[in-house]
Amino acid sequence: MGILMFIGTYFQSVFISPIPPFTTLGPLFVILMITSAKEGYEDMFRHRSDAKVNSSPAIVLTKGGPAGATETIPWRDLRPGHVVVVKDREEIPADLVLIYTSDKQAYVETSNIDGETNLKIKRAAAAD
């Protein structure tokens, strides 16, 4: 519909109308402004939600320290190479490779990613 309004405004010979061409720009401008304001409002809440989630704590193994020493850092500071400790029923902060589990496999719920509520079976990486 916006394309027809544009064509009607700038190529007046295509659509002959008794309505002045600038009357089509007013409603188009109002609709675009309302839509962009709505999107900006939703983005503001999404940004706040992301900031809250990214400040959640993650336990990582420290490099160069004593064996098994851990530190707690926010999710936003996780980088490739960090070894993250995830305990039972904890939310997983990022895409991770399962290195070790107390059982032979782990069950992961991905409902916040794909909406599926069934558990997916993940196995630890094989040590060759």
Side-chain angles (χ1 to χ4, degrees):
M1 178 151 169
I3 293 173
L4 289 177
M5 293 177 119
F6 176 78
I7 292 172
T9 301
Y10 292 106
F11 303 104
Q12 296 159 4
S13 61
V14 175
F15 300 109
I16 299 173
S17 173
I19 301 173
F22 293 106
T23 58
T24 60
L25 288 179
L28 177 63
F29 180 74
V30 169
I31 289 173
L32 289 176
M33 292 308 294
I34 291 171
T35 302
S36 63
K38 178 184 150 282
E39 292 292 328
Y41 185 73
E42 289 174 356
D43 283 347
M44 180 181 64
F45 283 107
R46 195 173 304 118
H47 176 72
R48 287 181 185 168
S49 173
D50 288 347
K52 183 179 177 182
V53 168
N54 287 336
S55 64
S56 299
I59 300 172
V60 297
L61 295 178
T62 57
K63 295 179 183 176
T70 61
E71 65 177 320
T72 302
I73 62 172
W75 284 6
R76 68 176 158 268
D77 293 337
L78 285 176
R79 299 291 179 257
H82 279 146
V83 178
V84 181
V85 178
V86 179
K87 297 182 180 171
D88 190 24
R89 306 274 181 218
E90 280 188 1
E91 219 174 309
I92 297 175
D95 292 338
L96 301 176
V97 175
L98 184 60
I99 297 174
Y100 175 79
T101 179
S102 57
D103 298 331
K104 297 219 182 253
Q105 57 195 11
Y107 298 95
V108 179
E109 180 183 343
T110 59
S111 63
N112 58 348
I113 298 172
D114 57 12
E116 294 183 17
T117 56
N118 57 339
L119 298 174
K120 293 181 176 56
I121 298 173
K122 303 292 180 184
R123 290 187 173 77
D128 291 332

